[in-house]
Amino acid sequence: MKCETKPFGKTAAGEQATLFTLKNDNGMSVSVTDFGANVVKICVPDKDGKVADVALGFDDIKGYEDNDNYLGAFVGRFANRIGGAEFTLNGVTYKLEKNDNGNCLHGGFGPYGIKMHEYEFVEDEDSIGIIFSRLSPDMEQGFPGNLDYSVTYTLTNDNEFIIEYFANSDKDTIVNFTNHTYFNLAGEGSGSVYDQLAWIDADSYTPTDAELIPTGEIAPVEGTPLDFRTEKPIGRDINADHIDLKNANGFDQNYALKTKAGDATLVATLRDPKSGRKMEVYTDLPGIQLYAGNFLNATGAKGGRSYKRGEGVCFETQYFPNSCNVKAFPYKPLKADEEFNSITVYKFVNE
Ligand code: GAL
């Protein structure tokens, strides 16, 4: 196992960013950068040993400075949408940035995915990792509390890419981190993922209004095109006549998982029958956003390519969107001096 480093460009402010490539003994590698703790590449062998980069992204940090499609993005302080861009905690209403139809999306503008992070390596016999950390100051993006957080990216010899989040705050606050990597198991830039098959171990999901704010309901997937309890191609039902598919222009829903805090459970898979690559998603979080890249429109990506609708799919593990405002959703604010932690694993196998 080893980690290679190389320069990844300079920020507009002149800071030098680095690309760290974690390599295991089976030909798999994961590249991440201290600029925004973004995930840049995930190179995975197929059943014949042919390696492809299965993560959409950019060749240097310029793309990540203006990454409005959130390619590979580390998202904080609160993933997905907060309705009306406000929430109330301990009787105080906090106003957030309105960056999505008057709502707050992925914490607001920046800064998690665009700030330089400190780093530290962690290594043992069968894994190699890097810890990125930063202090998010009190009221950054409008959220209370100085939040000391870290994201650890680890690659193991079992082809697991492990993401662990830790955080603590000096004031009560809300935290919901996710990773927004778009996967294409045939390789980034190879076209649509609609023929790739997804499975999600969820009996229910959270319907939304037309602005993709949850209605507060937790509805069964049974009998709807949103049912992924039996593996099916992502494209099969994506244009079906269903209000939630219409609202989101395709799959972009939060599924309610049967997980337990602290216990990473297999919740979803993605499989590409042609290459034989399969990805298993494990998490201890209560929700996962299946986002089939409905609004994807990125230019100047790797090799100068563009990515369009459906050319990547995200499995964003998370607390439910707007859970800070909906009593019926499983969510607890982070108390001052308590520790937030969660784990998500993307494991690659061949079938
Ligand atoms: C997803 C979200 C989508 C879209 C996307 C970014 O997490 O569910 O609605 O906003 O991020 O383009």
Side-chain angles (χ1 to χ4, degrees):
M1 317 233 37
K2 59 178 174 185
C3 177
E4 286 170 1
T5 60
K6 66 169 200 191
F8 198 47
K10 279 195 176 149
T11 64
E15 295 156 302
Q16 179 66 55
T18 303
L19 188 70
F20 301 88
T21 299
L22 310 171
K23 294 189 166 179
N24 76 7
D25 299 336
N26 308 317
M28 179 174 164
S29 69
V30 172
S31 303
V32 293
T33 175
D34 51 356
F35 179 69
N38 292 297
V39 174
V40 176
K41 285 189 202 175
I42 304 178
C43 296
V44 189
D46 70 5
K47 56 182 187 317
D48 303 318
K50 196 168 158 253
V51 176
D53 178 1
V54 300
L56 277 55
F58 300 98
D59 284 330
D60 63 34
I61 66 156
K62 279 192 197 67
Y64 296 95
E65 283 191 298
D66 192 16
N67 185 8
D68 51 5
N69 291 274
Y70 298 90
L71 305 186
F74 160 53
V75 177
R77 189 175 293 196
F78 202 95
N80 213 281
R81 291 180 175 80
I82 297 181
E86 60 175 53
F87 70 98
T88 300
L89 182 63
N90 302 333
V92 180
T93 297
Y94 294 92
K95 304 266 184 213
L96 307 172
E97 295 164 359
K98 295 183 173 171
N99 59 342
D100 190 72
N101 290 319
N103 303 305
C104 178
L105 175 66
H106 295 322
F109 303 106
Y112 284 70
I114 55 169
K115 289 271 186 193
M116 294 298 294
H117 287 66
E118 304 279 305
Y119 63 87
E120 193 185 316
F121 295 108
V122 272
E123 192 174 354
D124 71 25
E125 227 175 276
D126 278 310
S127 71
I128 184 153
I130 186 162
I131 308 173
F132 290 121
S133 58
R134 194 183 144 250
L135 176 82
S136 163
D138 187 25
M139 296 311 286
E140 185 174 58
Q141 304 165 307
F143 293 93
N146 289 298
L147 190 78
D148 247 317
Y149 69 83
S150 70
V151 193
T152 304
Y153 294 127
T154 305
L155 177 64
T156 74
N157 268 335
D158 287 329
N159 285 4
E160 294 159 314
F161 173 38
I162 305 174
I163 304 180
E164 288 164 288
Y165 301 111
F166 295 93
N168 58 67
S169 168
D170 58 356
K171 287 189 190 151
D172 293 359
T173 189
I174 61 170
V175 176
N176 186 11
F177 294 139
T178 196
N179 182 273
H180 205 289
T181 295
Y182 290 80
F183 296 94
N184 185 334
L185 295 186
E188 60 78 32
S190 68
S192 168
V193 296
Y194 287 178
D195 287 342
Q196 297 177 23
L197 298 106
W199 167 82
I200 303 176
D201 190 20
D203 299 330
S204 49
Y205 75 106
T206 52
T208 69
D209 65 14
E211 290 180 352
L212 305 185
I213 303 301
T215 58
E217 214 188 325
I218 301 179
V221 294
E222 179 89 48
T224 77
L226 304 172
D227 192 347
F228 276 91
R229 292 173 300 176
T230 303
E231 186 190 52
K232 65 174 178 181
I234 290 172
R236 184 188 293 166
D237 295 332
I238 200 162
N239 296 315
D241 185 16
H242 186 279
I243 181 68
D244 285 296
L245 294 176
K246 292 236 143 54
N247 282 338
N249 193 28
F251 292 114
D252 186 5
Q253 286 80 29
N254 169 65
Y255 286 85
L257 301 172
K258 301 165 214 169
T259 46
K260 264 204 303 210
D263 201 356
T265 309
L266 178 66
V267 296
T269 58
L270 176 68
R271 188 164 69 86
D272 175 35
K274 285 197 200 108
S275 63
R277 288 190 194 92
K278 182 175 180 184
M279 179 177 81
E280 300 173 343
V281 185
Y282 299 76
T283 190
D284 63 351
L285 289 167
I288 193 166
Q289 190 83 13
L290 172 69
Y291 174 52
N294 310 329
F295 311 111
L296 179 59
N297 186 12
T299 51
K302 290 175 186 169
R305 285 188 280 285
S306 300
Y307 303 128
K308 296 272 180 290
R309 179 173 197 252
E311 295 191 4
V313 55
C314 306
F315 290 86
E316 300 156 64
T317 58
Q318 61 187 0
Y319 288 95
F320 296 2
N322 204 29
S323 50
C324 52
N325 285 319
V326 182
K327 287 227 163 53
F329 287 173
Y331 187 74
K332 275 206 288 240
L334 178 66
K335 294 265 178 221
D337 302 321
E338 260 179 22
E339 189 167 276
F340 173 93
N341 60 67
S342 78
I343 178 165
T344 292
V345 180
Y346 298 105
K347 179 174 181 177
F348 294 85
V349 294
N350 275 306
E351 274 191 357

